[in-house]
Amino acid sequence: MRIDPLSKGEDFSWGGTAGGSLRRSLVRRRFLNMGFVVPVLVINLVFFVYPLIRVIYMSLFNWQLLGNQKFIGLTNYLNAFKDQTFLNSLWFTARYALLVTPMLFLLAFVLALLVNHAIKGIGIFRTIYFAPVVISMTSCSLIWLWIYNDLYGVLNYILTSLGLIEKNITWMSQASTSLPAVCYMITWKMAGFNMLMLLSAIQGIEDDVYEAAAIDGASGPGRFFRITLPLIRQNIGLALVIPVIGSVLAFEQFRIMTKGGPSSSTLTAVNYMYNTSFKYFKFGYGAALSMILLVILGLLSYFQFRIMRDPTE
């Protein structure tokens, strides 16, 4: 039997005993919720919002390490689009992104399909494929720098032993080989991350969907192209956006493996921005370059998500 609390004559208004208790409970809950939100807001304000505002402010000045800061408006931005070295670094970064993104995605997708089976020992292979992700970029760059070494690198030794090359290749000293070499390293390191992302999306599809399609006469390839791919469309978009953003922000691998050479042919936009700010101490100009790069990243992410979004939304 349902008991109506009002039948007992209790006062649930804000001024009554029960109402006051309810109000205190709501206030405590509100403060508890704020306790979880406020630290995140503070962290974002301190480490993102304030630095962003500061960078925008610095980009409007001729900001040197020593001397007075002179306001010059948009001059830094105008100079950036006249800076041939910066434009070349953007073009190289674009080439790197266009090369490494499909390599990384295709390998990750194939690995996700291979490990998407409930068989004994499959977890070992998932761990092996994912293991390079936890290695730092610096360590990976140094390891592969030894592999590519033209005198005693294992890659040249293997290719020479198989008779594929007659003399050792100087992988990091040639513009034609240094870019693919770095792309191979990045693909080896980061494929496991995208594999895990795609694997979780594939395994999130209910078995009932495949069973219904099989009853309707759909073949294996038909189920893959008509069910699997459409249902993981957004995850595919995310698996493409992340490598593109990582490629645009490429820094450590090129600074360690190629040092921007030969003749600045592998100088990325972030490397040039770093040199401008912390080697030549042109902080205002470096801030303007970083804002241009931020706008480029935002536009790339926006268009990729628009292209890969669910058409039913």
Side-chain angles (χ1 to χ4, degrees):
M1 182 179 65
R2 183 177 180 275
I3 300 176
D4 187 357
L6 296 178
S7 61
K8 294 184 177 181
E10 296 180 0
D11 186 2
F12 276 82
S13 62
W14 286 111
T17 304
S21 177
L22 179 61
R23 181 176 58 183
R24 287 192 296 271
S25 177
L26 291 175
V27 171
R28 283 196 299 268
R29 181 174 299 179
R30 186 173 299 172
F31 276 105
L32 181 62
N33 293 337
M34 290 178 60
F36 288 107
V37 174
V38 169
V40 179
L41 291 176
V42 171
I43 291 174
N44 276 280
L45 288 173
V46 173
F47 294 103
F48 178 74
V49 177
Y50 173 74
L52 179 62
I53 296 173
R54 187 69 173 176
V55 168
I56 295 173
Y57 176 76
M58 289 176 63
S59 68
L60 303 176
F61 286 79
N62 181 17
W63 198 291
Q64 303 288 339
L65 180 63
L66 299 175
N68 297 326
Q69 287 77 41
K70 181 181 178 182
F71 179 79
I72 56 175
L74 300 177
T75 303
N76 283 327
Y77 294 93
L78 297 176
N79 291 337
F81 292 103
K82 300 176 184 178
D83 188 344
Q84 193 59 46
T85 305
F86 175 62
L87 296 178
N88 290 339
S89 70
L90 283 179
W91 171 237
F92 172 76
T93 304
R95 287 167 48 208
Y96 169 64
L98 291 173
L99 181 60
V100 76
T101 299
M103 290 173 56
L104 185 56
F105 175 77
L106 290 175
L107 179 60
F109 197 77
V110 170
L111 292 177
L113 295 176
L114 290 175
V115 299
N116 183 35
H117 299 284
I119 60 176
K120 187 176 181 179
I122 196 66
I124 297 175
F125 291 97
R126 294 173 182 171
T127 303
I128 293 173
Y129 297 151
F130 185 77
V133 178
V134 302
I135 306 175
S136 70
M137 184 66 72
T138 301
S139 299
C140 287
S141 300
L142 292 173
I143 291 171
W144 280 79
L145 197 59
W146 281 91
I147 294 174
Y148 289 134
N149 189 279
D150 57 312
L151 296 178
Y152 37 81
V154 65
L155 181 58
N156 277 327
Y157 174 78
I158 293 174
L159 295 177
T160 304
S161 301
L162 295 175
L164 298 177
I165 58 175
E166 296 181 357
K167 61 179 181 179
N168 290 349
I169 300 175
T170 54
W171 298 95
M172 295 293 106
S173 300
Q174 304 178 59
S176 59
T177 57
S178 57
L179 175 58
V182 175
C183 290
Y184 297 144
M185 185 276 291
I186 291 295
T187 301
W188 169 81
K189 172 176 170 47
M190 297 305 300
F193 180 81
N194 281 9
M195 175 204 72
L196 200 63
M197 187 171 11
L198 294 170
L199 178 63
S200 63
I202 294 172
Q203 292 186 341
I205 302 174
E206 297 291 340
D207 294 335
D208 297 342
V209 179
Y210 290 113
E211 293 174 1
I215 293 173
D216 291 338
S219 61
R223 292 195 295 269
F224 176 76
F225 287 104
R226 295 179 180 274
I227 296 176
T228 304
L229 287 182
L231 290 179
I232 65 171
R233 181 186 182 94
Q234 291 183 326
N235 298 86
I236 291 176
L238 185 61
L240 289 171
V241 168
I242 291 177
V244 170
I245 293 176
S247 301
V248 175
L249 298 177
F251 174 72
E252 289 176 81
Q253 58 267 42
F254 286 100
R255 188 163 188 85
I256 293 173
M257 297 182 71
T258 69
K259 298 178 177 62
S263 301
S264 300
S265 60
T266 59
L267 185 67
T268 64
V270 175
N271 266 302
Y272 181 66
M273 181 177 64
Y274 175 86
N275 291 338
T276 301
S277 300
F278 301 107
K279 187 176 180 180
Y280 304 113
F281 303 111
K282 298 179 179 179
F283 295 110
Y285 187 47
L289 297 180
S290 67
M291 292 308 302
I292 293 173
L293 204 60
L294 179 63
V295 172
I296 292 174
L297 282 173
L299 292 175
L300 286 173
S301 301
Y302 172 77
F303 285 118
Q304 281 190 291
F305 277 120
R306 283 294 299 268
I307 293 172
M308 300 304 299
R309 71 176 182 177
D310 191 342
T312 61
E313 293 183 354

